């Protein structure tokens, strides 16, 4: 039977749960939305009076939170209470790659998903629609459903559940716009009434022809496939960029030429330092694991090659910096412009900057790091002991260098004093507006600008008596 949803609970107040529930609350003022999380500090930040302190930076998000918070949007740690009140529960928790055990390094760790399923089974009242919102491996819904049903038998309570898959297709930096004007909303499931209940929510602002219905397995696999295809496209253009540098071609001209082909299109054809973010690498490795599990090693090898190339490309950039600086960066200063994995987000997960900075620090460089949204503590976490322990090639002596070999710059112009090079790793707008003539006066010559994002004006850099390298430029 179709259920008109009046109360939603979302477990997980991270990069997916927070923005998604904020937009749902904004577009559905008749629905009460409770976002719950075990992390008290994160919840406190969501409830902060100063909207500059929200735990997630996304353009436009702060204003929607301001409109809805305290009206029909609430953030708390009261998980049990809000599960019991909810007609619909979204599971939007982290699914990191397993670090040990079967499938380590490839398979997703579903620990938090399982914990959520058990919480929902225990505390739900009446009929509850459970929505997979996290990026999950194929057939996870079956696991969730099994847990819900088995717990119900044990508790002997009158509870019923429907499980749907509703993967997110958000790009960080444009997440709010992606939610307000999505290319598609995908709903996978077997229950027509449950699908109709979720569809009824989205139809408050999404045209019906953009709401796609599939079986639950296709929905789960579609999310992994979408991220894998996008990552593969980035690796593909970066491979051509490396070839351009060796042949005298320009990857921007190649991209423009092939992008006019309607079969290919122009999106995701910008050569850069490699893909990052929380999903691309994780989801591809998940595909690799699933392919091997189902006896398809050739499929696994194909997708694993995308990840291998991305890592090679990041090392290639750091090696190139060393080569251009006369073969050594020991005790040389390098300005790192951008630490988040892309512009308009403070997310550093799998950022190319982390690997490139590690390489340069291991070579003895001193780094001056600037990013308008990433705080110093986050950089310290990414480059500190935790990062070192995950980086097998760094020895104990290198670790000491990494702990003391960098500092955070709050202002861009602070980064250029006595540096031998500036390396642009994130496409923040302010980096395209740098006065290179002024910056050049502070740098130690001969000095370099390494533009891994193709955002500077080459003529401005060269006129400032600076050497220039641009990714994919063979000229």
């Amino acid at each position: 039977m179709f259920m008109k949803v009046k109360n939603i609970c979302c477990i997980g107040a991270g990069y997916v749960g927070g923005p998604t529930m904020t937009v749902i609350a904004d577009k559905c003022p008749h629905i009460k939305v409770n976002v719950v999380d075990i992390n008290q500090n994160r919840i406190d930040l969501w409830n902060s009076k100063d909207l500059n302190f929200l735990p997630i930076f996304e353009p436009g998000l702060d204003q929607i939170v301001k409109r809805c918070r305290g009206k029909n949007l609430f953030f708390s740690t009261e998980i049990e209470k809000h599960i019991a009140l909810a007609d619909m529960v979204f599971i939007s928790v982290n699914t990191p790659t397993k670090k040990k055990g079967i499938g380590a390094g490839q398979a997703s760790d579903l620990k938090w998903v399982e914990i959520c399923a058990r919480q929902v089974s225990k505390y739900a009242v009446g009929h509850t629609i459970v929505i997979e919102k996290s990026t999950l491996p194929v057939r996870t819904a079956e696991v969730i459903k099994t847990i819900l049903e088995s717990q119900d038998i044990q508790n002997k309570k009158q509870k019923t559940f429907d499980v749907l898959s509703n993967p997110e297709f958000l790009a960080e930096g444009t997440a709010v716009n992606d939610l307000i004007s999505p290319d598609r909303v995908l709903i996978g499931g077997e229950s027509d009434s449950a699908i109709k209940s979720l569809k009824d929510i989205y139809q408050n602002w999404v045209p019906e022809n953009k709401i796609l219905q599939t079986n639950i397995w296709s929905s789960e696999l579609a999310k992994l496939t979408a991220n894998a295809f996008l990552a593969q496209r980035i690796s593909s253009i970066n491979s051509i960029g490396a070839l351009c540098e060796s042949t005298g071609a320009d990857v921007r001209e190649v991209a423009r030429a092939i992008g006019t082909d309607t079969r290919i299109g122009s999106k995701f054809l910008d050569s850069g330092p490699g893909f990052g973010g929380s999903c691309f690498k994780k989801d591809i490795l998940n595909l690799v694991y699933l392919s091997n599990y189902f006896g398809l090693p050739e499929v696994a090898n194909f997708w694993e090659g995308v990840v291998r190339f991305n890592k090679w490309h990041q090392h290639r950039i750091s090696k190139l910096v060393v080569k251009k600086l006369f073969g050594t960066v020991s005790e040389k200063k390098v300005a790192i412009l951008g630490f988040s994995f892309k512009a308009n987000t403070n997310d550093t997960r799998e950022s190319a900057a982390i690997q490139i900075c590690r390489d340069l620090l291991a070579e003895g460089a001193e780094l001056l790091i600037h990013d308008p949204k990433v705080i110093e503590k986050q950089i310290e976490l990414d480059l500190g002991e935790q990062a070192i322990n995950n980086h097998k090639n760094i020895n104990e002596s290198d670790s000491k260098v990494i702990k003391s070999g960098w500092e955070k710059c709050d202002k861009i112009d602070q980064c250029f004093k006595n540096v031998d090079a500036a390396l642009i790793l994130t496409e923040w707008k302010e980096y395209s507006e740098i006065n290179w003539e002024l910056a050049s006066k502070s740098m130690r010559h001969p000095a370099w600008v390494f533009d891994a994002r193709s955002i500077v004006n080459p003529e401005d850099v060269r006129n400032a008596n600076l050497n220039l390298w641009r990714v994919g430029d063979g000229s």
Side-chain angles (χ1 to χ4, degrees):
M1 175 182 268
F2 168 70
M3 178 172 64
K4 192 80 172 177
V5 175
K6 297 179 181 178
N7 201 314
I8 290 174
C9 173
C10 175
I11 307 175
Y15 280 89
V16 175
T20 301
M21 293 303 115
T22 298
V23 171
I24 288 178
D26 191 44
K27 298 297 183 179
C28 306
H30 56 286
I31 297 176
K32 187 176 182 180
V33 179
N34 287 286
V35 185
V36 296
D37 200 294
I38 60 173
N39 187 326
Q40 183 67 60
N41 181 60
R42 179 180 291 170
I43 292 299
D44 290 343
L45 291 173
W46 278 114
N47 287 322
S48 174
K49 292 181 180 179
D50 188 342
L51 295 172
N52 291 317
F53 287 100
L54 293 180
I56 296 166
F57 173 75
E58 283 289 338
L61 179 62
D62 55 347
Q63 293 307 308
I64 304 179
V65 170
K66 184 179 180 180
R67 280 202 299 269
C68 301
R69 193 176 61 189
K71 297 177 182 176
N72 70 322
L73 175 65
F74 304 89
F75 299 91
S76 79
T77 56
E78 297 179 295
I79 298 174
E80 300 171 9
K81 172 185 174 181
H82 293 298
I83 288 175
L85 292 172
D87 306 310
M88 181 177 284
V89 176
F90 285 80
I91 295 178
S92 189
V93 294
N94 192 22
T95 53
T97 302
K98 289 182 71 174
K99 293 182 178 180
K100 58 184 179 181
I102 298 172
Q106 294 180 343
S108 289
D109 188 344
L110 301 180
K111 177 179 71 173
W112 296 110
V113 174
E114 182 178 338
I115 289 172
C116 288
R118 293 185 185 280
Q119 287 176 317
V120 173
S121 178
K122 185 175 182 180
Y123 300 112
V125 176
H127 182 68
T128 306
I129 301 172
V130 181
I131 314 289
E132 293 180 330
K133 200 64 183 172
S134 303
T135 303
L136 300 167
V138 182
R139 306 198 78 85
T140 302
E142 198 171 73
V143 174
I144 294 173
K145 193 171 183 180
T146 299
I147 291 172
L148 294 173
E149 290 176 350
S150 62
Q151 290 289 102
D152 184 39
I153 293 171
Q154 292 173 17
N155 295 333
K156 296 181 180 180
K157 293 180 181 179
Q158 294 301 313
K159 302 181 183 182
T160 55
F161 301 95
D162 283 313
V163 180
L164 302 178
S165 171
N166 177 221
E168 51 85 15
F169 296 98
L170 307 179
E172 289 182 57
T174 59
V176 172
N177 187 62
D178 295 339
L179 288 162
I180 294 174
S181 303
D183 291 333
R184 76 294 203 191
V185 170
L186 185 58
I187 303 174
E190 311 303 326
S191 166
D192 290 337
S193 60
I195 291 172
K196 186 177 179 182
S197 293
L198 182 55
K199 189 176 179 180
D200 185 60
I201 293 172
Y202 283 113
Q203 281 183 305
N204 282 280
W205 77 96
V206 180
E208 187 172 7
N209 64 347
K210 287 191 174 185
I211 303 175
L212 310 181
Q213 181 178 337
T214 68
N215 72 46
I216 202 161
W217 321 126
S218 296
S219 176
E220 290 176 331
L221 186 57
K223 170 59 179 176
L224 297 181
T225 304
N227 281 341
F229 270 55
L230 291 174
Q232 182 268 337
R233 195 169 166 96
I234 292 170
S235 283
S236 293
I237 196 63
N238 282 336
S239 72
I240 299 303
L243 187 60
C244 286
E245 291 172 28
S246 298
T247 59
D250 188 327
V251 72
R252 283 152 291 274
E253 294 178 352
V254 173
R256 187 169 70 249
I258 65 173
T260 56
D261 188 326
T262 55
R263 296 169 300 174
I264 299 173
S266 60
K267 293 184 177 180
F268 275 71
L269 287 182
D270 294 323
S271 191
F275 60 77
S278 63
C279 289
F280 282 3
K281 179 181 176 181
K282 176 173 71 72
D283 290 354
I284 293 177
L285 291 176
N286 212 328
L287 275 182
V288 171
Y289 175 75
L290 288 170
S291 299
N292 279 321
Y293 178 83
F294 288 109
L296 300 168
E298 292 79 9
V299 176
N301 291 338
F302 173 81
W303 287 113
E304 194 169 17
V306 174
V307 176
R308 283 199 306 268
F309 178 85
N310 193 59
K311 187 173 183 179
W312 172 85
H313 180 59
Q314 292 169 2
H315 287 308
R316 182 180 84 88
I317 291 176
S318 54
K319 288 178 181 178
L320 190 144
V321 172
V322 175
K323 181 180 178 181
K324 295 291 187 184
L325 295 180
F326 307 114
T328 180
V329 290
S330 180
E331 297 184 11
K332 291 179 181 177
K333 292 183 178 181
V334 178
I336 301 296
L337 302 180
F339 200 80
S340 60
F341 85 93
K342 64 184 290 190
N344 294 320
T345 180
N346 60 348
D347 194 354
T348 65
R349 288 176 292 179
E350 297 295 339
S351 174
I354 297 172
Q355 185 62 67
I356 292 170
C357 286
R358 287 178 186 169
D359 288 348
L360 295 175
L361 288 166
E363 289 283 343
E366 297 177 21
L367 305 183
L368 302 174
I369 303 175
H370 177 272
D371 191 286
K373 293 298 178 182
V374 179
I375 61 175
E376 184 173 0
K377 183 178 180 181
Q378 185 60 55
I379 298 174
E380 185 177 359
L381 287 171
D382 290 328
L383 296 182
E385 289 186 70
Q386 184 178 353
I388 292 166
N389 291 335
N390 294 332
H391 190 49
K392 297 178 182 178
N393 295 326
I394 293 180
N395 60 39
E396 187 177 348
S397 60
D398 291 333
S399 300
K400 293 175 183 177
V401 173
I402 288 181
K403 291 175 186 176
S404 60
W406 64 272
E407 64 179 271
K408 176 79 161 57
C409 295
D410 294 326
K411 297 181 179 179
I412 298 176
D413 55 10
Q414 295 174 345
C415 293
F416 299 117
K417 188 175 181 180
N418 295 324
V419 300
D420 294 86
L423 173 55
I424 301 173
L425 295 177
T426 311
E427 70 279 22
W428 289 104
K429 183 181 178 183
E430 44 260 70
Y431 300 153
S432 66
E433 300 171 344
I434 292 173
N435 184 331
W436 289 108
E437 186 174 349
L438 189 62
S440 177
K441 293 177 182 179
S442 298
M443 299 171 77
R444 189 173 78 150
H445 290 259
W448 280 84
V449 173
F450 296 95
D451 184 6
R453 290 290 187 174
S454 298
I455 62 172
V456 304
N457 184 323
E459 189 175 334
D460 289 346
V461 175
R462 295 190 178 108
N463 287 344
N465 193 32
L466 295 168
N467 298 299
L468 174 66
W469 171 84
R470 285 200 304 166
V471 65
D473 188 348
S475 62

Short mmCIF file of all heavy atoms in Angstrom, two decimals, residues 180-205:
data_model
loop_
_atom_site.label_atom_id
_atom_site.label_comp_id
_atom_site.label_asym_id
_atom_site.label_seq_id
_atom_site.Cartn_x
_atom_site.Cartn_y
_atom_site.Cartn_z
N ILE A 180 19.35 19.83 -6.94
CA ILE A 180 18.19 20.64 -7.36
C ILE A 180 17.81 20.36 -8.81
O ILE A 180 16.63 20.29 -9.15
CB ILE A 180 18.49 22.14 -7.16
CG1 ILE A 180 18.64 22.44 -5.66
CG2 ILE A 180 17.40 23.01 -7.77
CD1 ILE A 180 19.09 23.86 -5.36
N SER A 181 18.82 20.17 -9.67
CA SER A 181 18.56 19.91 -11.09
C SER A 181 19.32 18.66 -11.54
O SER A 181 20.29 18.74 -12.31
CB SER A 181 19.00 21.12 -11.94
OG SER A 181 18.35 22.29 -11.52
N PRO A 182 18.91 17.50 -11.07
CA PRO A 182 19.65 16.27 -11.38
C PRO A 182 19.48 15.82 -12.83
O PRO A 182 18.45 16.08 -13.46
CB PRO A 182 19.02 15.24 -10.42
CG PRO A 182 17.62 15.73 -10.24
CD PRO A 182 17.72 17.24 -10.25
N ASP A 183 20.50 15.14 -13.37
CA ASP A 183 20.37 14.53 -14.69
C ASP A 183 19.34 13.42 -14.64
O ASP A 183 18.59 13.19 -15.58
CB ASP A 183 21.72 13.95 -15.15
CG ASP A 183 22.74 15.03 -15.46
OD1 ASP A 183 22.33 16.14 -15.82
OD2 ASP A 183 23.95 14.75 -15.34
N ARG A 184 19.35 12.70 -13.52
CA ARG A 184 18.38 11.63 -13.30
C ARG A 184 18.35 11.29 -11.82
O ARG A 184 19.31 11.54 -11.09
CB ARG A 184 18.69 10.37 -14.11
CG ARG A 184 19.83 9.48 -13.60
CD ARG A 184 21.14 10.13 -13.68
NE ARG A 184 22.28 9.24 -13.72
CZ ARG A 184 23.52 9.68 -13.58
NH1 ARG A 184 23.75 10.97 -13.35
NH2 ARG A 184 24.53 8.86 -13.65
N VAL A 185 17.23 10.73 -11.39
CA VAL A 185 17.10 10.14 -10.06
C VAL A 185 16.82 8.67 -10.29
O VAL A 185 15.87 8.31 -10.99
CB VAL A 185 15.96 10.79 -9.25
CG1 VAL A 185 15.71 10.00 -7.97
CG2 VAL A 185 16.29 12.24 -8.92
N LEU A 186 17.66 7.81 -9.72
CA LEU A 186 17.53 6.38 -9.95
C LEU A 186 16.97 5.69 -8.70
O LEU A 186 17.49 5.87 -7.60
CB LEU A 186 18.91 5.80 -10.29
CG LEU A 186 18.98 4.32 -10.69
CD1 LEU A 186 18.09 4.04 -11.89
CD2 LEU A 186 20.43 3.94 -10.99
N ILE A 187 15.90 4.94 -8.89
CA ILE A 187 15.28 4.20 -7.80
C ILE A 187 15.20 2.74 -8.20
O ILE A 187 14.57 2.38 -9.20
CB ILE A 187 13.86 4.72 -7.47
CG1 ILE A 187 13.89 6.21 -7.13
CG2 ILE A 187 13.26 3.92 -6.32
CD1 ILE A 187 12.52 6.82 -6.95
N GLY A 188 15.86 1.89 -7.41
CA GLY A 188 15.82 0.46 -7.67
C GLY A 188 15.08 -0.26 -6.57
O GLY A 188 15.29 0.03 -5.39
N GLY A 189 14.22 -1.18 -6.95
CA GLY A 189 13.47 -1.91 -5.92
C GLY A 189 12.47 -2.87 -6.53
O GLY A 189 12.26 -2.90 -7.74
N GLU A 190 11.84 -3.65 -5.66
CA GLU A 190 10.86 -4.64 -6.10
C GLU A 190 9.44 -4.24 -5.71
O GLU A 190 8.47 -4.74 -6.28
CB GLU A 190 11.19 -6.01 -5.48
CG GLU A 190 12.64 -6.44 -5.64
CD GLU A 190 13.12 -6.48 -7.08
OE1 GLU A 190 12.30 -6.82 -7.95
OE2 GLU A 190 14.30 -6.17 -7.34
N SER A 191 9.31 -3.36 -4.72
CA SER A 191 7.99 -2.97 -4.23
C SER A 191 7.50 -1.71 -4.93
O SER A 191 8.08 -0.64 -4.77
CB SER A 191 8.04 -2.73 -2.72
OG SER A 191 6.88 -2.07 -2.27
N ASP A 192 6.45 -1.84 -5.71
CA ASP A 192 5.91 -0.68 -6.44
C ASP A 192 5.42 0.41 -5.49
O ASP A 192 5.57 1.60 -5.77
CB ASP A 192 4.75 -1.13 -7.35
CG ASP A 192 5.24 -1.97 -8.53
OD1 ASP A 192 6.45 -1.85 -8.89
OD2 ASP A 192 4.44 -2.75 -9.08
N SER A 193 4.83 0.00 -4.37
CA SER A 193 4.29 0.99 -3.43
C SER A 193 5.42 1.77 -2.76
O SER A 193 5.33 2.99 -2.59
CB SER A 193 3.42 0.31 -2.37
OG SER A 193 4.18 -0.64 -1.62
N ALA A 194 6.51 1.09 -2.41
CA ALA A 194 7.65 1.77 -1.80
C ALA A 194 8.31 2.72 -2.79
O ALA A 194 8.68 3.85 -2.45
CB ALA A 194 8.66 0.75 -1.28
N ILE A 195 8.46 2.25 -4.02
CA ILE A 195 9.04 3.10 -5.07
C ILE A 195 8.17 4.34 -5.27
O ILE A 195 8.68 5.46 -5.40
CB ILE A 195 9.17 2.31 -6.39
CG1 ILE A 195 10.25 1.24 -6.23
CG2 ILE A 195 9.50 3.24 -7.55
CD1 ILE A 195 10.34 0.28 -7.40
N LYS A 196 6.85 4.15 -5.26
CA LYS A 196 5.94 5.28 -5.44
C LYS A 196 6.08 6.29 -4.29
O LYS A 196 6.02 7.51 -4.51
CB LYS A 196 4.50 4.78 -5.52
CG LYS A 196 3.49 5.87 -5.86
CD LYS A 196 2.08 5.31 -6.01
CE LYS A 196 1.08 6.43 -6.33
NZ LYS A 196 -0.30 5.92 -6.42
N SER A 197 6.29 5.79 -3.06
CA SER A 197 6.46 6.68 -1.90
C SER A 197 7.71 7.55 -2.05
O SER A 197 7.68 8.75 -1.75
CB SER A 197 6.55 5.86 -0.62
OG SER A 197 5.33 5.22 -0.33
N LEU A 198 8.82 6.96 -2.51
CA LEU A 198 10.04 7.72 -2.70
C LEU A 198 9.93 8.64 -3.91
O LEU A 198 10.36 9.80 -3.87
CB LEU A 198 11.23 6.77 -2.88
CG LEU A 198 12.60 7.41 -3.04
CD1 LEU A 198 12.93 8.36 -1.90
CD2 LEU A 198 13.70 6.35 -3.17
N LYS A 199 9.31 8.14 -4.96
CA LYS A 199 9.11 8.94 -6.17
C LYS A 199 8.26 10.17 -5.86
O LYS A 199 8.51 11.27 -6.39
CB LYS A 199 8.43 8.07 -7.23
CG LYS A 199 8.35 8.70 -8.61
CD LYS A 199 7.76 7.70 -9.60
CE LYS A 199 7.64 8.32 -10.99
NZ LYS A 199 7.06 7.35 -11.96
N ASP A 200 7.29 10.00 -4.98
CA ASP A 200 6.39 11.09 -4.60
C ASP A 200 7.17 12.24 -3.95
O ASP A 200 6.80 13.41 -4.10
CB ASP A 200 5.33 10.55 -3.63
CG ASP A 200 4.29 11.60 -3.27
OD1 ASP A 200 3.61 12.09 -4.18
OD2 ASP A 200 4.18 11.93 -2.06
N ILE A 201 8.24 11.92 -3.24
CA ILE A 201 9.08 12.97 -2.62
C ILE A 201 9.82 13.75 -3.69
O ILE A 201 9.79 14.99 -3.73
CB ILE A 201 10.07 12.32 -1.63
CG1 ILE A 201 9.33 11.72 -0.44
CG2 ILE A 201 11.10 13.36 -1.15
CD1 ILE A 201 10.20 10.89 0.48
N TYR A 202 10.49 13.02 -4.59
CA TYR A 202 11.29 13.69 -5.62
C TYR A 202 10.45 14.51 -6.60
O TYR A 202 10.90 15.52 -7.14
CB TYR A 202 12.13 12.67 -6.39
CG TYR A 202 13.35 12.18 -5.63
CD1 TYR A 202 13.44 10.86 -5.19
CD2 TYR A 202 14.39 13.05 -5.34
CE1 TYR A 202 14.56 10.42 -4.49
CE2 TYR A 202 15.50 12.63 -4.64
CZ TYR A 202 15.59 11.31 -4.22
OH TYR A 202 16.69 10.89 -3.51
N GLN A 203 9.20 14.07 -6.82
CA GLN A 203 8.36 14.78 -7.79
C GLN A 203 7.96 16.17 -7.31
O GLN A 203 7.38 16.93 -8.09
CB GLN A 203 7.10 13.95 -8.09
CG GLN A 203 7.38 12.82 -9.06
CD GLN A 203 6.13 12.05 -9.43
OE1 GLN A 203 5.40 11.55 -8.55
NE2 GLN A 203 5.86 11.94 -10.72
N ASN A 204 8.31 16.52 -6.08
CA ASN A 204 8.08 17.89 -5.63
C ASN A 204 8.93 18.89 -6.40
O ASN A 204 8.61 20.08 -6.41
CB ASN A 204 8.36 18.01 -4.13
CG ASN A 204 7.22 17.46 -3.29
OD1 ASN A 204 6.22 18.12 -3.08
ND2 ASN A 204 7.38 16.22 -2.81
N TRP A 205 10.03 18.42 -7.00
CA TRP A 205 10.86 19.34 -7.80
C TRP A 205 11.54 18.70 -9.01
O TRP A 205 12.06 19.42 -9.88
CB TRP A 205 11.91 19.99 -6.90
CG TRP A 205 13.10 19.16 -6.54
CD1 TRP A 205 14.32 19.15 -7.16
CD2 TRP A 205 13.22 18.21 -5.47
NE1 TRP A 205 15.18 18.26 -6.54
CE2 TRP A 205 14.53 17.68 -5.49
CE3 TRP A 205 12.34 17.77 -4.47
CZ2 TRP A 205 14.98 16.73 -4.57
CZ3 TRP A 205 12.78 16.82 -3.56
CH2 TRP A 205 14.08 16.31 -3.61
#
